Amino acid sequence: MNPTIFFSVCSLFYCILLMVIIFSKKYKKNRENSILRILLIVNLIGLLLEVAGLFLGSNYKSYEFLNDIVLRLMLVYHMVWISLFIVYVLIISGININKMKKYVLVLGAIFLVALIYDFCIPLYYNINDGIIIYSSGPAVDFVYNYSLCCSIICLLIMFKYFKKGIAVKYAPLFVFISLGALVSIIQSSYPQLLLSTSVQTFVTYLVYFTTNNSQNEPIKHKKVNE
């Protein structure tokens, strides 16, 4: 069993906990809260896929087909999450709705092309005693490069639309890039370690705390005078 399953299971627990907090209360309907919920749901799916992959990968011969599906879907997950994170950066930058639609349309087209391409290139498995140690190959490399390009796009958006009053909202971006770089360095030497999805869970928590501040409290129902 992969030793990093501890991080995956703990991240899954905290992701579910945050979902309970968010979906059990009524918050103001705005673009920030909407993208937060979407990021959280996508992260939950990614964590479930990761945990499933760890269990299925422990007996590759018995679950070969399922392993292939889950590992491919994990690559899709990483591409979806980082693409949505770009949308989050666009939203906190205060871009108007018309310009936002144009950006999202272009990003969506690029994502679809990248997704189709990634499905068409090889994905290899490093297997030892019937256990998948880690996946590799052009499909994995492409997702890494795609994530790097998306991170650069996030930085370019921030520098173009940066406003001093919303600087704190960019904290998740800086943390994501810093931890992402650290994880990439670690996984270059130990590719069997699965840390990226847990980092995304932590960043999603930061998104929650930076968007739900004093001016974004849960909606309180007014009492009706009898």
Side-chain angles (χ1 to χ4, degrees):
M1 184 65 68
N2 193 300
T4 52
I5 189 172
F6 172 78
F7 292 102
S8 302
V9 173
C10 286
S11 298
L12 180 60
F13 170 77
Y14 284 110
C15 182
I16 294 173
L17 180 63
L18 184 56
M19 288 194 73
V20 171
I21 294 172
I22 291 177
F23 288 94
S24 64
K25 297 179 181 179
K26 291 188 176 181
Y27 289 89
K28 294 178 181 178
K29 292 183 179 180
N30 55 39
R31 294 187 296 175
E32 290 182 33
N33 281 326
S34 296
I35 194 63
L36 168 61
R37 292 185 178 210
I38 297 172
L39 279 171
L40 188 58
I41 292 171
V42 170
N43 182 239
L44 175 64
I45 294 172
L47 288 167
L48 290 173
L49 286 171
E50 187 168 272
V51 172
L54 288 170
F55 282 104
L56 293 172
S58 63
N59 193 350
Y60 178 71
K61 291 183 179 179
S62 300
Y63 306 104
E64 184 174 350
F65 180 69
L66 283 176
N67 269 294
D68 293 340
I69 293 176
V70 169
L71 291 175
R72 280 287 183 180
L73 288 177
M74 276 301 301
L75 296 180
V76 173
Y77 157 73
H78 286 294
M79 294 178 68
V80 171
W81 193 92
I82 187 62
S83 299
L84 288 171
F85 195 68
I86 295 178
V87 177
Y88 163 74
V89 175
L90 286 169
I91 289 172
I92 63 173
S93 298
I95 298 174
N96 66 66
I97 189 65
N98 292 326
K99 189 175 290 186
M100 171 74 73
K101 289 180 180 178
K102 293 179 181 178
Y103 278 125
V104 171
L105 186 63
V106 172
L107 289 171
I110 294 173
F111 169 77
L112 287 176
V113 172
L115 184 63
I116 294 171
Y117 176 76
D118 192 61
F119 261 100
C120 295
I121 56 180
L123 175 64
Y124 305 127
Y125 311 127
N126 186 296
I127 301 174
N128 185 15
D129 294 330
I131 299 174
I132 296 180
I133 307 302
Y134 60 88
S135 56
S136 60
V140 175
D141 294 337
F142 179 78
V143 172
Y144 273 114
N145 292 326
Y146 179 84
S147 298
L148 176 61
C149 291
C150 288
S151 298
I152 293 172
I153 291 172
C154 288
L155 285 173
L156 292 175
I157 294 171
M158 184 195 71
F159 289 132
K160 183 175 181 180
Y161 297 101
F162 183 82
K163 298 180 183 67
K164 190 174 181 180
I166 60 171
V168 68
K169 291 187 177 182
Y170 290 108
L173 173 59
F174 289 117
V175 172
F176 174 72
I177 291 175
S178 301
L179 291 181
L182 179 60
V183 166
S184 297
I185 293 171
I186 294 173
Q187 290 187 324
S188 64
S189 300
Y190 305 97
Q192 70 273 20
L193 299 180
L194 302 175
L195 302 171
S196 300
T197 313
S198 296
V199 168
Q200 291 160 354
T201 303
F202 181 67
V203 171
T204 305
Y205 257 82
L206 288 180
V207 171
Y208 169 73
F209 285 114
T210 54
T211 56
N212 289 277
N213 50 31
S214 58
Q215 59 185 8
N216 194 16
E217 296 291 337
I219 296 175
K220 296 180 179 178
H221 296 286
K222 295 181 179 179
K223 293 182 179 180
V224 179
N225 294 325
E226 296 181 357

